[in-house]
Amino acid sequence: MASSDFLEVKNLSVSYRVYNTEIKAVKNVNFTMEKGEILGVIGESGSGKSTMAKAILRAIKPPGFIDPSSKIMFKGKDLLSMKESDFKKEVLWKLISYVPQASQNSLNNTMRVIDHFYDTAYSHGVSKEEVTERAIELLKLVKLDVDRVAKAYPFQLSGGMKQRVLIALSLLLNPELIIMDEAVSSLDVATQKYILDIIKDINKKLGTSIIFITHEIPVAAYISTRMLVMYAGEIVEEGKVEEILKNPLHPYSNALINSVPLIRGSMERVKPIKEGLPSEKGCPFNTRCDKVMEICKVEHPEIYQVNDRGVRCFLYANKAK
Ligand SMILES: Nc1ncnc2c1ncn2[C@@H]1O[C@H](COP(=O)(O)OP(=O)(O)OP(=O)(O)O)[C@@H](O)[C@H]1O
């Protein structure tokens, strides 16, 4: 794995202890990210995307726990070994911020939009005077009508407008990385595109790096330049978006891409992914894979490097270089 001075996630494993069993939600995840990049994280529900995001944000709460061998380095800071109070003071919002799912209603309906900005600034010791101008600038950046929206209550806004307020809010303290978790899911397609264009614009104008988590492959394809494909808590493929879309190597990436009409054109080609639970033994995808081999049922594949692509599949064991 290449190293990076910006973000480096090493051996990240996160589990939830439920009754007497441990659900391994994220398993030995390794990846790096460069400054200015938009990194897409794609995978179906339950693949561990949100858990991975929460680990970077130090937001894993019991019954969840991070394996002590995990390491997350951000610009030279070892995030998991920082004191929680230091993390909140030095990293959260200032270096790394977060945009939650559109369906989560994260804004407080009893507070005007502008007060959300004051509240966030206040908790970081920034005064009301300093923040007003910045809030106006950011609301304009996300193409909201400042006069109307700043004094509105969240319940008076549409879903797409609320999501743009959250994006503006995430930029308040000028972070270098924003983690967006299903930030446009549940919005209609036209609103999705409008917001994705705003996010691209922010990335270009401000140079903010973005981890964009989604279960919708067309969304990941549109927004990101590089992509991690997750299945059952693991990264199964990693590479440049256009290369994965053109020639997916992992059978799961291939199935995901073939399951939507937008990418491969005609509806005749659309094929739902075979159902099934991840296998406990061997490759987790062996129960659903149309290229399954004997070895896949007994051994767990490592990540093989195929040119500049990483792929966790025995099909590439001999082709790896
Ligand atoms: N608080 C929790 N307690 C117990 N198990 C959890 C908890 N949160 C997540 N999990 C489990 O961890 C696994 C990964 O879930 P996670 O939410 O990270 O996946 P995801 O890919 O983000 O899916 P989704 O988009 O549906 O949230 C799942 O098996 C899920 O049931």
Side-chain angles (χ1 to χ4, degrees):
M1 188 186 71
S3 65
S4 168
D5 297 336
F6 190 66
L7 175 68
E8 198 162 335
V9 173
K10 287 191 209 170
N11 297 323
L12 177 66
S13 296
V14 187
S15 306
Y16 296 96
R17 204 170 277 126
V18 183
Y19 301 109
N20 287 330
T21 48
E22 262 179 29
I23 300 165
K24 289 196 178 348
V26 170
K27 298 177 214 160
N28 199 16
V29 158
N30 289 283
F31 71 92
T32 60
M33 184 181 180
E34 296 304 329
K35 187 166 171 46
E37 200 175 14
I38 303 185
L39 178 68
V41 180
I42 180 99
E44 59 199 2
S45 182
S47 57
K49 307 178 301 294
S50 297
T51 301
M52 184 181 85
K54 284 184 191 154
I56 300 172
L57 293 156
R58 292 269 304 253
I60 299 288
K61 300 274 175 293
F65 62 96
I66 298 178
D67 187 284
S69 65
S70 311
K71 211 174 180 104
I72 302 174
M73 298 297 296
F74 184 77
K75 297 195 77 181
K77 286 181 195 291
D78 185 344
L79 299 188
L80 298 179
S81 61
M82 288 178 84
K83 263 172 59 187
E84 195 173 339
S85 54
D86 289 343
F87 180 82
K88 284 195 173 145
K89 203 164 69 192
E90 294 168 27
V91 179
L92 212 53
W93 289 91
K94 281 190 178 160
L95 290 177
I96 306 179
S97 71
Y98 174 65
V99 176
Q101 293 195 6
S103 59
Q104 265 178 0
N105 273 330
S106 309
L107 296 167
N108 182 340
N109 271 328
T110 65
M111 270 165 65
R112 292 181 192 274
V113 164
I114 192 71
D115 293 327
H116 289 77
F117 288 83
Y118 294 149
D119 223 37
T120 306
Y122 178 76
S123 62
H124 283 85
V126 183
S127 72
K128 209 169 170 171
E129 291 69 41
E130 280 175 83
V131 109
T132 308
E133 209 177 311
R134 173 95 180 130
I136 290 171
E137 190 187 305
L138 291 172
L139 288 170
K140 279 188 191 152
L141 187 69
V142 296
K143 301 194 166 70
L144 285 166
D145 171 355
V146 177
D147 293 337
R148 187 163 98 71
V149 173
K151 53 180 193 293
Y153 289 94
F155 67 83
Q156 296 172 309
L157 306 177
S158 70
M161 288 163 92
K162 282 193 269 198
Q163 215 46 24
R164 280 185 277 155
V165 169
L166 286 169
I167 293 169
L169 199 55
S170 77
L171 286 162
L172 184 64
L173 301 184
N174 216 0
E176 296 194 29
L177 171 65
I178 308 180
I179 300 180
M180 301 192 173
D181 190 358
E182 303 283 4
V184 298
S185 312
S186 83
L187 300 173
D188 64 82
V189 174
T191 309
Q192 281 193 341
K193 179 171 181 304
Y194 189 64
I195 295 182
L196 292 175
D197 285 338
I198 289 173
I199 296 169
K200 278 186 178 186
D201 201 39
I202 288 168
N203 168 259
K204 218 170 45 269
K205 275 193 191 140
L206 309 179
T208 318
S209 312
I210 293 160
I211 295 182
F212 197 95
I213 295 172
T214 176
H215 65 279
E216 294 172 271
I217 199 117
V219 170
Y222 188 70
I223 188 88
S224 41
T225 42
R226 204 158 60 86
M227 185 153 87
L228 308 177
V229 183
M230 287 188 74
Y231 185 74
E234 297 183 317
I235 293 176
V236 296
E237 184 158 356
E238 176 190 353
K240 289 200 187 104
V241 169
E242 74 263 23
E243 286 177 14
I244 295 183
L245 294 178
K246 202 162 64 190
N247 177 26
L249 297 181
H250 196 286
Y252 175 61
S253 317
N254 189 48
L256 260 187
I257 291 166
N258 281 323
S259 69
V260 290
L262 266 158
I263 308 215
R264 291 270 166 100
S266 85
M267 284 297 277
E268 275 89 76
R269 304 206 48 167
V270 176
K271 236 174 81 183
I273 309 182
K274 191 176 154 193
E275 287 192 12
L277 290 173
S279 170
E280 303 264 318
K281 200 170 168 208
C283 171
F285 194 58
N286 76 43
T287 43
R288 305 167 71 186
C289 183
D290 54 7
K291 296 216 167 95
V292 64
M293 305 177 286
E294 276 318 300
I295 190 173
C296 312
K297 297 178 189 164
V298 280
E299 282 184 40
H300 184 254
E302 59 184 89
I303 294 232
Y304 298 104
Q305 231 30 69
V306 182
N307 301 321
D308 59 353
R309 201 96 64 91
V311 56
R312 193 184 286 283
C313 177
F314 285 118
L315 286 172
Y316 303 93
N318 299 326
K319 297 173 194 156
K321 62 172 187 181

